[in-house]
Structure formats: C-alpha cells, structure tokens
Amino acid sequence: MSIIIKQGLVVDPSQGLRAIKDVLIENGKIVRIADCIIPGTSQAINAKGLVVMPGLVDMHAHLREPGREDKETIETATMAALAGGITSVLAMPNTTPCIDSAQAAGLLQKRIQKSAKANVFVAGALTKNRKGHALTDIEGLCNKSVLAFTDDGSSVDDEKLLSSAFDICRKTGVLIVCHCEDTALSAGGTVNRGFISTSMGLRGISKESEYKRVERDINIAESAQARIHIAHVSCAESVDVIRQAKAKGVKVTAETCPHYLMLCEDDVRGFDTNKKMNPPLRSCDDRNSLKRAVIDGVIDIVSTDHAPHTENEKDIEFERAAFGVIGLETMLPVTLTALYGNDSTDLTKIAQICSTGPARILGLKKGTLSAGSDADVVIFDPEREWMVEKRGIVSKSKNSAFLGMRLKGKVIFTILNGAVAYQA
C-alpha cells in the first residue's frame, strides 16, 4: 500500500525541513520527500494549506487498563490519541495491578498487542506498588521492553532509595521520570495556594511542595550522574531550578502540560472540577514563565498527563473530586492556541516539543519523517477553529478542562504505520 501526501507544508525538525513538499509512503515507511512526486497508483491526500508533521509522541498518559476500564481502556485511549494526531504514547504504571513486575508488564504488553490502535510504550513503577518502600526489579522490567520508570502520581520520599534507583538506571541506560511533590507540604490542598484559594475557601497547594522536590530530585540524579525527567512542571520556581541545573550540565529534561500553558488559577473560580489537577493550575505569572521556558528550551516538551475519570468522580463537590483531566485529543490544538502565533513560536518548535523532542528523550525511532522511518504522520490545519464539546470527545471519560472553549488547530488525518488511522 502506498500513499502520497501532496503539497503540504512539511515540518520536520529532525531534518531541518520546513517547505511545501510531497511525501511518499510505501509499505509503512517514509520513502521520499520531494517537490513533486507523480501519484501513479498511490492513494493521494491533498494537503494543500495543511501542515504535515511526524506523528505526535505523548510520554505521559494514564490509560487506566488494567483495573479501571470504566474510565478508559487501551483501545479507547489510543483511538482518542489518533484523533489528536498522537501516534505513540507512554503508558504510566499506576494501574491495578501496578506495573511493578515482569509478569505485570508482560500481561500489559499482551493487552496492548490485542487492542491498541496506536503505538503504546510502557513505563514501569520505580518502587513496588508505588509505595516508595522497595525498588522494583528494574533490570527485569527492562527485559519486558519497559522504557522508563516512575511512581507518577507519587514522589519517592526516601532519598537513599531514589539514589539507588538512579544508580541502577544509569547502568541500564533507562530514564527515571519524577513526579515532584512533597506531600508534607501539599497534603489536603486542592488548588494553588494564594489569594484565589483563600477567596474560594479551599486549602491551597504551595509551589514549594513542587520546586523543593524538583531541586532535591535533580541533586540526587546529579550525584548519581544519571538522567532525570521532571514531569508536569507547573511553576516558575521549578523552571528556575531546571534552568540552573541545565547550565551546570546535569542530564535533566522536563515537560509541562498544555493546560498549564493556557489556563491559570483564575479559571478555577467557578469550582469547575474539570480544572482540578495535580499539580494545580498556578498564577498567570507562572503560566507566562512556562511559555517562555518552552520557547527558550528550558522545558523540553509538552505531555498530556491524560487522566480520565468518570462523572461520579468529577461531578461532585470540588474538594472531593478526583485530580486530573484528559488531554490526548487537545494536546496539539491547546499547544497551538497557547503558543503558535502569540509568542513568535513557529511550527518547527511545535513539532519539536510535541514529537521529535519526546521521541529523543525516550530513545524512540519516532518523531521524524526521514526516509526509512515508520510512516507515523499527522496532517492538520493550524488555523481552523473548533469548539471542544463533550459529545465529540473520543476518550471514554469526558473530563476535559476545555469543554466549551474554542481552540485553534484541527487534526485532519493521522497516519499510523503507513495507513490512514484517523480522518476528521
């Protein structure tokens, strides 16, 4: 089977490419990019006026299977991913059972092979049952193709244990993704601590609970000379810590999420539980700092932190509602709406932070349109506006922070392994 994508604006940071081109796909691979390719018997996609990029890579998604299939499944999550132009996701290990053993990882891989509609890669738990008391068999999990390790949703309090984990991961060459939260400082909080939390009568979550733990975890990684990736950065102080560590040569990368680039604590005033997340939406100044950090490269990538919840877990009092929002279908349009055209951010930067960058961090042969690479491609209209509506959401859960909001940027086609997997 072959496809020619005709006359789209091809944007691929891995090749320094940004030009109107044709893209030829054959047998699941990118074959050639040229000014004009004669279609022949190939399926032709007219991409005039559209952008052609490597399929997006989301290295932070909660697929909920096994254990909470009432919220999401591997099948529904990957269908939602394709609707958002995401062709590869890294599944977090906080499932039931937790992905903390070779057996659990093997069973998950079988489920992925059976029902995934997009590429799914697996992150293993750093500690057994994510309790922070004993390390998992990191080497054994690596043999089950686990790409990274994290207790995401929890931070490892035990410094000696975390140091040992960094030592092992340095030797095995795998990445540790750190959820940075000191629960001694954040416990009981539901929104950012400050004027808004006080005016709403809610207990706040201090920024110290995040950036102090970012600083600690980076220092431990530096001592071990290991790689570290900081998940879902939400505040300016964490950005400063990461910037200083990078200047020292520490092997640190970092992500923020689209919702932190577009929303702030003011958006929580209406007690909308779909804007309750951990870490919480911070101040407008923090949002602006995160935007600058993405633009100047201190924040390497954006990831969704896709966290589906049922209506029973969200449609209740704010303080009792679950933390987290979905994001697979809105990752690209929210990032475009927040950054593209507003802060001199060009499409090459968008491709870098949504595709090429996360693929590089994970060591995946994704995020590129180079000849011979897997034909994972997203084709989108960067200017088309649309409204996020519950009825249009593909994900099993509907807890989007952007319901009723107009976004800019619409995915038209998603191509996976050389075949059209989604068409608007």
Side-chain angles (χ1 to χ4, degrees):
M1 181 179 179
S2 62
I3 297 174
I4 292 182
I5 305 169
K6 295 290 294 180
Q7 294 300 289
L9 176 60
V10 180
V11 180
D12 181 5
S14 75
Q15 303 180 77
L17 180 59
R18 187 183 185 284
I20 302 293
K21 297 283 185 182
D22 289 355
V23 179
L24 176 61
I25 295 169
E26 289 182 347
N27 300 318
K29 301 291 184 182
I30 303 291
V31 174
R32 189 158 63 99
I33 298 176
D35 289 342
C36 182
I37 300 173
I38 304 301
T41 59
S42 304
Q43 176 188 354
I45 293 175
N46 180 6
K48 190 173 183 179
L50 304 178
V51 176
V52 181
M53 276 185 184
L56 309 186
V57 178
D58 178 22
M59 64 175 288
H60 193 152
H62 300 274
L63 305 191
R64 304 303 191 202
E65 183 180 354
R68 288 306 305 266
E69 288 85 350
D70 55 328
K71 298 185 181 190
E72 193 76 283
T73 65
I74 293 167
E75 181 179 20
T76 58
T78 48
M79 289 171 63
L82 292 172
I86 297 169
T87 50
S88 297
V89 300
L90 182 68
M92 293 292 104
N94 57 336
T95 51
T96 306
C98 175
I99 309 305
D100 63 356
S101 68
Q103 182 183 17
L107 291 173
L108 179 58
Q109 294 285 8
K110 288 181 179 177
R111 289 187 179 221
I112 291 168
Q113 291 171 10
K114 182 179 179 181
S115 59
K117 304 300 183 184
N119 302 307
V120 178
F121 301 93
V122 176
L126 197 57
T127 67
K128 292 179 181 177
N129 207 25
R130 298 174 47 253
K131 295 294 186 184
H133 301 315
L135 293 181
T136 56
D137 176 9
I138 292 173
E139 292 179 342
L141 283 161
C142 286
N143 291 334
K144 290 294 182 181
S145 301
V146 169
L147 281 188
F149 289 86
T150 179
D151 276 2
D152 185 53
S154 301
S155 189
V156 178
D157 292 332
D158 188 325
E159 295 185 14
K160 288 185 178 179
L161 196 69
L162 186 60
S163 180
S164 297
F166 275 120
D167 283 335
I168 296 170
C169 287
R170 183 194 68 243
K171 293 172 184 173
T172 53
V174 293
L175 181 69
I176 289 181
V177 178
C178 283
H179 170 112
C180 295
E181 178 186 6
D182 185 340
T183 53
L185 299 174
S186 66
T190 54
V191 297
N192 184 47
R193 190 174 75 180
F195 176 76
I196 299 293
S197 64
T198 302
S199 64
M200 295 175 68
L202 298 173
R203 186 166 180 172
I205 299 174
S206 69
K207 294 195 286 184
E208 286 87 348
S209 66
E210 176 180 308
Y211 74 78
K212 290 289 187 184
R213 190 52 63 97
V214 171
E215 188 173 44
R216 188 207 71 165
D217 287 1
I218 288 177
N219 286 338
I220 294 173
E222 182 183 15
S223 296
Q225 298 183 321
R227 297 169 62 210
I228 179 174
H229 180 80
I230 306 298
H232 43 53
V233 175
S234 73
C235 66
E237 288 82 355
S238 294
V239 170
D240 290 339
V241 172
I242 295 163
R243 178 182 286 108
Q244 292 166 19
K246 286 191 169 188
K248 290 169 59 181
V250 179
K251 300 170 187 174
V252 56
T253 54
E255 69 185 36
T256 190
C257 306
H259 39 264
Y260 299 123
L261 296 173
M262 189 157 167
L263 305 175
C264 67
E265 60 182 345
D266 291 344
D267 293 292
V268 186
R269 285 182 183 273
F271 292 91
D272 179 359
T273 56
N274 286 332
K275 294 184 177 66
K276 180 182 177 182
M277 55 205 71
N278 187 23
L281 296 172
R282 302 291 189 184
S283 69
C284 181
D285 287 342
D286 288 305
R287 179 181 61 187
N288 293 337
S289 176
L290 289 168
K291 287 184 177 181
R292 289 193 295 273
V294 170
I295 293 167
D296 66 24
V298 174
I299 300 292
D300 301 83
I301 65 168
V302 297
S303 296
T304 64
D305 195 6
H306 178 76
H309 292 296
T310 64
E311 289 191 6
N312 288 340
E313 294 168 315
K314 277 293 193 181
D315 194 15
I316 55 178
E317 301 93 327
F318 194 92
E319 290 173 288
R320 293 176 55 221
F323 287 99
V325 294
I326 59 172
L328 290 169
E329 293 159 75
T330 52
M331 172 180 169
L332 179 61
V334 172
T335 302
L336 285 165
T337 305
L339 295 178
Y340 179 55
N342 297 329
D343 295 291
S344 301
T345 305
D346 63 15
L347 291 167
T348 299
K349 186 69 178 182
I350 299 296
Q352 177 67 36
I353 61 178
C354 294
S355 179
T356 307
R360 176 184 57 79
I361 291 169
L362 291 172
L364 294 173
K365 293 180 180 178
K366 301 290 184 183
T368 177
L369 298 176
S370 60
S373 62
D374 294 338
D376 295 346
V377 184
V378 57
I379 304 173
F380 64 95
D381 183 341
E383 303 295 339
R384 186 183 299 185
E385 292 190 1
W386 60 288
M387 182 177 289
V388 182
E389 298 177 290
K390 186 178 289 188
R391 64 182 179 180
I393 291 175
V394 177
S395 177
K396 196 167 188 176
S397 292
K398 313 300 178 186
N399 53 308
S400 169
F402 302 101
L403 288 174
M405 296 180 67
R406 293 192 70 81
L407 302 176
K408 187 170 70 173
K410 182 70 175 175
V411 173
I412 309 299
F413 290 96
T414 304
I415 295 173
L416 180 75
N417 294 321
V420 175
Y422 170 81
Q423 182 174 352

